[in-house]
Amino acid sequence: ELITMASAADNPMKRPAAQSAALSVVPAKQARTAGELIQHGGSANNKRLVSAGPSRTSSLHAPIMLLTGHEGEIYCGKFSPTGSILATAGYERKIFLWTVYDECENLAVLTGHGGAILELKFTTDGETLVSAASDKTAALWDLEAGLRIKRLKGHEKLINSVDVVRRGPQLLCTGSDDGTIRLWDRRVRGHTHSFDSGNAVTSVAFGDTGELVYSGGIDNSIQAWDLRRSACTMRLRGHSDTVTGLALSPDGNYLLSNGMDASLRVWDIRPYASQDRCLKILSGHRHSFEQNLLRCAWQPDGRRVTCGSSDRFVYVWDCASRQVVYKLPGHTGSVNETHFHPKEPIIMSVGSDKKVYLGEIEP
C-alpha cells in the first residue's frame, strides 16, 4: 500500500525561506469510529515515499503530516510525554488519539463529553489524559483501555482550562467561567480546594512543586494561589486584555502567558525575583473577533516558545532574541493551539479549519 504524496506546489507549510526546497505533505488516513481501537503503530509493509528536499530533522513519516477526520473546529492538541501519541479535541465533543510516527494512524475516538472540549493534558506518566469541557465537567481517560475512568463535577459554568501537577500527589486544577479555580485529587471524590478569582478563569497552570496554581482570566491579570495558605499570594499585571494561555517553563522558573492583547509574555516566578517580574514581551501573532482561547507552549529545552494565532499562521519565537524564527502557513482558519514534541524538533498545530498539522523544524 503506497501513500499518495501531494506535490510541492500543494505544500501547505514551509520551512524558513532558505530551506523551502520541495517538501511534501502526507495526508493521513481518516479517523476511525468512536471507541474503535487498533494496534499502536503502522504496518511493517508500509513503503515510505519521501521526496527530495532538505535533510530531515525528525522521525516523522514526511516533513509535514496532515491529519484529517475532525468534523468541527479543533481547540486543543497535545503530545504525550513519550511523544508517540497525539491527542486532539474540540467543538464536536470527541477526543481523537493518533500515532505520531509512520502514517499517523487514528488509534481511537473517545466520547462522553456533552460539550465542546477546550483543553487537554496528559499526566506525567503518559497513561492518563485529562480533558476540560463546556459541559461543566473535566474527565480522566485511561489511554490503554480507551475509556473514561473519572468525571470531575462541581463547576457551575463551562471549564476553560485544566492542568496536571508535574510530580507529587495526583493533583489536577481546573479554571471555569464561574470564576473559581478548583483543585482535585484523583484518589478522592469532589474537589479539595476552591479559590474564587472574582472573574471568569480562562487558563490555569501548576507551579513546579504543585504548591502554587496560576490562573489567568478576563480581568487581564495572572494570580498565584498558594495551596498551603489558601490565598492569592501574587498578582502579575501587564496584559491589557484577557489571558488565554499559561505555560510553565521546563525548569519551573518562568511562566509564559498569552493574551488577547496579542502579546506573549515571559514572567520570572522565582520566589525572590525583583518586583518587575515581566522579563520579555513577544509579539507578531494575532487575536481576532472570534476570541478563541489561543494557548502557548515552551520547547522542551526552553529556547523557544510558540502559540496560536487568528491570522492562520503558526508562530515560534527564540526566547533570547525575542524574534519570530518560524511563521508557518498552512491552516485556513484560526490556529488555536500549538505544541512542541517532547523529544524531537516537531511542532503540532490544530485549528478552526478542522485540520491537524505535524511539521518538523530545525533543532
Side-chain angles (χ1 to χ4, degrees), residues 166-179:
R166 285 184 175 179
R167 53 180 177 266
Q170 299 178 321
L171 297 180
L172 315 168
C173 63
T174 51
S176 167
D177 269 6
D178 64 14

Side-chain angles (χ1 to χ4, degrees), residues 176-187:
S176 167
D177 269 6
D178 64 14
T180 66
I181 301 97
R182 299 199 177 195
L183 274 292
W184 313 79
D185 188 321
R186 292 172 58 182
R187 300 162 296 189

Side-chain angles (χ1 to χ4, degrees), residues 166 247-256 266-270 277 279 298:
R166 285 184 175 179
L248 186 69
S249 66
D251 63 10
N253 291 329
Y254 305 97
L255 186 68
L256 182 68
V266 178
W267 307 85
D268 188 340
I269 55 172
R270 291 174 293 183
R277 291 179 177 268
L279 301 179
W298 295 83

Side-chain angles (χ1 to χ4, degrees), residues 111-174:
T111 60
H113 273 299
I117 298 168
L118 302 177
E119 191 159 38
L120 296 170
K121 290 286 171 67
F122 282 91
T123 54
T124 50
D125 60 13
E127 294 178 359
T128 307
L129 184 68
V130 186
S131 56
S134 63
D135 62 4
K136 308 177 189 176
T137 72
L140 281 70
W141 308 82
D142 182 305
L143 294 180
E144 191 169 341
L147 297 172
R148 186 175 67 190
I149 52 176
K150 195 173 179 69
R151 199 166 172 223
L152 307 178
K153 299 198 297 184
H155 281 292
E156 297 172 6
K157 294 184 179 180
L158 63 86
I159 302 176
N160 290 304
S161 183
V162 64
D163 198 18
V164 179
V165 75
R166 285 184 175 179
R167 53 180 177 266
Q170 299 178 321
L171 297 180
L172 315 168
C173 63
T174 51

